Amino acid sequence: MSEKTENQSNALDMFKWVVVFALLVGLVTANTVYGEISVLYRAIAAVVVVVIAGFIAASTEKGSTFLSFAKESRTEVRKVVWPTRQEANQTTLIVLAATLVMALILWGLDGIIVRVVGFITGIGA
């Protein structure tokens, strides 16, 4: 790919991003200006504009990279072995018990340190 072609591609991608940004800003502005129109019509228009902006963004180099990343991520998520409900509950209980034990230990250490510092400084707690 020559440098001239690459610069034209980058310029076109930049133009597409400007169009996407303009569409989304226009959507927000139109939603504010035409607040008296039915919410249903405004929602349908919002969905249409967002879909159009999405297609334009997907046609850019960064957009296509993002789409391929999203597809690969979806494939990886399907490979994950998710815990059963029982395993999740047991793990949650273990974490809660460990947190309670650590909280009690820290509370006890804090009490001891307060008493030691109070004894050394002569300030009663």
Side-chain angles (χ1 to χ4, degrees):
M1 181 185 262
S2 70
E3 188 174 322
K4 187 176 182 180
T5 307
E6 187 173 315
N7 286 339
Q8 288 175 347
S9 173
N10 288 340
L12 184 60
D13 278 357
M14 182 60 97
F15 176 73
K16 288 179 182 179
W17 284 113
V18 168
V19 169
V20 167
F21 184 72
L23 281 172
L24 295 177
V25 168
L27 172 65
V28 171
T29 305
N31 191 36
T32 304
V33 171
Y34 298 110
E36 70 278 355
I37 294 179
S38 171
V39 175
L40 175 65
Y41 297 136
R42 287 186 290 147
I44 291 171
V47 169
V48 169
V49 170
V50 168
V51 167
I52 291 170
F55 279 124
I56 294 171
S59 69
T60 64
E61 183 179 338
K62 288 185 180 186
S64 62
T65 303
F66 173 76
L67 287 177
S68 65
F69 173 75
K71 288 176 185 175
E72 291 171 9
S73 297
R74 188 174 181 199
T75 303
E76 289 299 320
V77 166
R78 288 183 178 167
K79 293 179 184 177
V80 173
V81 178
W82 297 100
T84 64
R85 185 175 196 84
Q86 182 183 5
E87 290 171 337
N89 287 337
Q90 289 174 346
T91 305
T92 301
L93 290 176
I94 290 170
V95 169
L96 288 174
T99 303
L100 179 66
V101 168
M102 285 306 300
L104 291 173
I105 289 171
L106 290 173
W107 175 68
L109 286 174
D110 181 56
I112 292 170
I113 291 171
V114 165
R115 285 193 173 54
V116 168
V117 169
F119 176 74
I120 292 173
T121 60
I123 300 174

